[in-house]
Amino acid sequence: MNVRTTTQRNIKNYYSLIIPIIIVSKIVRWTIMYPQLVAMSIGWGYLPKIQSWSFSGFRMANFSETTNAGSIVDGNTISFFQLLNLGFTSYQSWEVYITILYNILILICVKNFYERNPYAGKRENWFIYMNVAILNIFCLNLAKEPYQMLFFFLMALAISVPKTYREKSIALIIALLITILYSRKYYGLVLMYFLILNYIVGKLFGEKQNNGVLVSKKKLYGKLFFLFLLFGVLHYFFMSSLMIENEGTYNEMMAANSRDSTDAVSEITPIFPNSNPFLLAVDYFIKIFRLMMPVELLLKLKVTYLFMIVNQWLILTFWVRAFINRDKKCNPTRTIAMYLYIAFLLCSAAFEPDFGSWTRHQGVAFPVILLLI
């Protein structure tokens, strides 16, 4: 089967499956997941604000206030929905509207992926279908996620449109700065980790891995382990500095890590809750691997958790493959997307309270993840 035929088949299959996937996903959301995702949705509180508040535009982050990192998100999300508003007055009508609008954007991203990857096979197809389901179950509704996803579309454009790795890096830095200013300030960590990765990976692994020399998996994974260990050490110094220089932010991050009381069944229970910076750094290092490989969910004995484990395993295989074949000159888009995803993972390990939240937030990053496959 030639390249063109394979690409056309993958796109045709997606066109034929997208509507059934959306329908099944919404049925799951409004039945099995109703108590957690619909009944407790913050969108119910957004409805009167969208209708009654006067449009106030989009506020920039106030860096003189170091705590409550997400304080501007609610207001900016409401402003975003006010711009989109076509007169909808119910939670259900908003969800239908957002679902249609965003699935069109996702379809464009997926079609572009298949055109760039004519030999995409079963693993890639299953991953795409699973993530379209995740987005329609968790994210495409009256919540913060549609607003957050705008910034990942922006990052994906910044990575894919420019030609050279340098141009892509500059565009991505600008996109991340916009995200920090108008979304969440802690994306400054993503920017910092991205810049460090660009420097340290070249020094530790060489500028490109796939250079004709066969590298053992043991050696590769050993270096990856050492790489994350370095970021654990960096996290220790970061937390130690916060404890002295900014106690408010330090206490906020400790609260996010400890989760003393939570209704989440899939809580990421910290090993060392409410601890000193050293033990928090150890917990952070371990949490990176817990997010990458959430095998502990098998103990929960729920089919939905098996779905999450398989999805995470696929992402892990894709970014390891991208890491092995990284090349800033020959494949700048995949390489820079891979660095961005690792930076996003490293940032998330400091904040994610439960695996359900991780699945939802990672789902929003789907436009970027597609670029590293």
Side-chain angles (χ1 to χ4, degrees):
M1 187 174 291
N2 61 43
V3 171
R4 182 175 176 82
T5 303
T6 305
T7 300
Q8 290 176 339
R9 182 195 61 192
N10 283 333
I11 294 174
K12 182 179 179 181
N13 288 342
Y14 184 81
Y15 286 162
S16 64
L17 289 171
I18 180 62
I19 293 178
I21 289 173
I22 293 171
I23 292 173
V24 171
S25 300
K26 291 302 180 182
I27 291 173
V28 170
R29 172 177 166 78
W30 283 82
T31 55
I32 300 172
M33 306 295 290
Y34 181 89
Q36 300 93 340
L37 301 183
V38 180
M40 298 177 64
S41 172
I42 62 174
W44 298 104
Y46 281 171
L47 272 173
K49 296 175 182 178
I50 294 170
Q51 295 171 343
S52 61
W53 285 14
S54 58
F55 179 73
S56 59
F58 297 91
R59 281 200 309 126
M60 290 176 59
N62 183 356
F63 290 93
S64 63
E65 299 177 1
T66 53
T67 59
N68 195 13
S71 59
I72 64 168
V73 176
D74 280 319
N76 285 350
T77 300
I78 290 168
S79 294
F80 172 65
F81 286 134
Q82 286 175 325
L83 285 178
L84 291 182
N85 195 6
L86 298 179
F88 301 111
T89 58
S90 71
Y91 183 90
Q92 294 84 351
S93 60
W94 266 106
E95 181 157 336
V96 172
Y97 175 43
I98 293 167
T99 298
I100 293 172
L101 182 63
Y102 271 76
N103 273 290
I104 292 172
L105 297 176
I106 293 165
L107 184 147
I108 294 171
C109 291
V110 171
K111 184 173 181 292
N112 179 263
F113 165 79
Y114 283 130
E115 290 172 345
R116 289 183 293 104
N117 297 274
Y119 293 109
K122 290 182 180 179
R123 277 198 306 172
E124 289 79 7
N125 288 325
W126 274 108
F127 174 76
I128 287 172
Y129 299 147
M130 289 177 69
N131 277 266
V132 170
I134 287 170
L135 283 166
N136 281 281
I137 293 172
F138 289 96
C139 305
L140 302 186
N141 55 82
L142 198 61
K144 296 175 186 177
E145 279 70 34
Y147 177 68
Q148 295 287 323
M149 199 167 183
L150 282 182
F151 297 96
F152 282 95
F153 281 124
L154 179 63
M155 292 179 217
L157 285 173
I159 295 172
S160 58
V161 173
K163 298 296 183 183
T164 67
Y165 189 90
R166 179 182 176 83
E167 291 170 350
K168 292 175 186 292
S169 298
I170 293 171
L172 177 58
I173 289 170
I174 293 171
L176 282 169
L177 289 173
I178 294 171
T179 304
I180 295 164
L181 289 174
Y182 291 99
S183 179
R184 296 188 184 275
K185 288 187 286 187
Y186 63 67
Y187 272 78
L189 283 176
V190 176
L191 175 57
M192 180 181 75
Y193 290 146
F194 171 76
L195 294 173
I196 294 173
L197 283 164
N198 265 278
Y199 174 78
I200 202 169
V201 170
K203 299 296 181 181
L204 185 63
F205 295 87
E207 285 301 323
K208 59 182 180 178
Q209 180 75 15
N210 190 15
N211 54 9
V213 178
L214 186 63
V215 179
S216 70
K217 286 187 177 181
K218 182 183 290 188
K219 186 175 181 180
L220 172 65
Y221 286 114
K223 286 186 175 182
L224 284 172
F225 181 87
F226 181 66
L227 176 66
F228 290 129
L229 181 62
L230 286 179
F231 279 96
V233 174
L234 178 64
H235 189 75
Y236 165 71
F237 286 111
F238 176 65
M239 293 299 290
S240 299
S241 175
L242 279 182
M243 185 174 65
I244 297 171
E245 303 292 337
N246 198 314
E247 188 177 355
T249 302
Y250 176 78
N251 290 334
E252 186 180 2
M253 291 188 69
M254 281 189 64
N257 184 69
S258 66
R259 298 286 288 183
D260 290 329
S261 60
T262 176
D263 295 327
V265 179
S266 61
E267 175 189 352
I268 305 175
T269 307
I271 299 173
F272 307 109
N274 297 314
S275 304
N276 60 48
F278 174 75
L279 291 178
L280 283 173
V282 174
D283 213 347
Y284 168 80
F285 171 69
I286 297 171
K287 195 173 177 182
I288 293 171
F289 294 93
R290 293 174 73 184
L291 291 178
M292 286 194 302
M293 297 170 286
V295 290
E296 64 197 80
L297 288 177
L298 289 172
L299 300 176
K300 305 289 185 178
L301 300 177
K302 289 183 68 174
V303 175
T304 52
Y305 293 158
L306 181 61
F307 184 88
M308 294 163 63
I309 293 170
V310 172
N311 181 65
Q312 196 60 47
W313 174 78
L314 287 172
I315 293 178
L316 176 62
T317 61
F318 292 143
W319 80 250
V320 169
R321 182 177 67 184
F323 190 92
I324 292 173
N325 294 285
R326 69 190 184 279
D327 192 319
K328 292 182 178 181
K329 291 184 178 180
C330 296
N331 203 337
T333 297
R334 182 171 294 161
T335 301
I336 201 169
M338 178 267 300
Y339 283 140
L340 177 59
Y341 175 78
I342 297 177
F344 174 69
L345 169 68
L346 291 169
C347 176
S348 299
F351 295 98
E352 287 296 356
D354 63 85
F355 288 107
S357 175
W358 167 234
T359 300
R360 185 173 73 253
H361 293 154
Q362 186 174 240
V364 172
F366 182 61
V368 168
I369 296 174
L370 270 180
L371 296 176
L372 72 83
I373 298 178

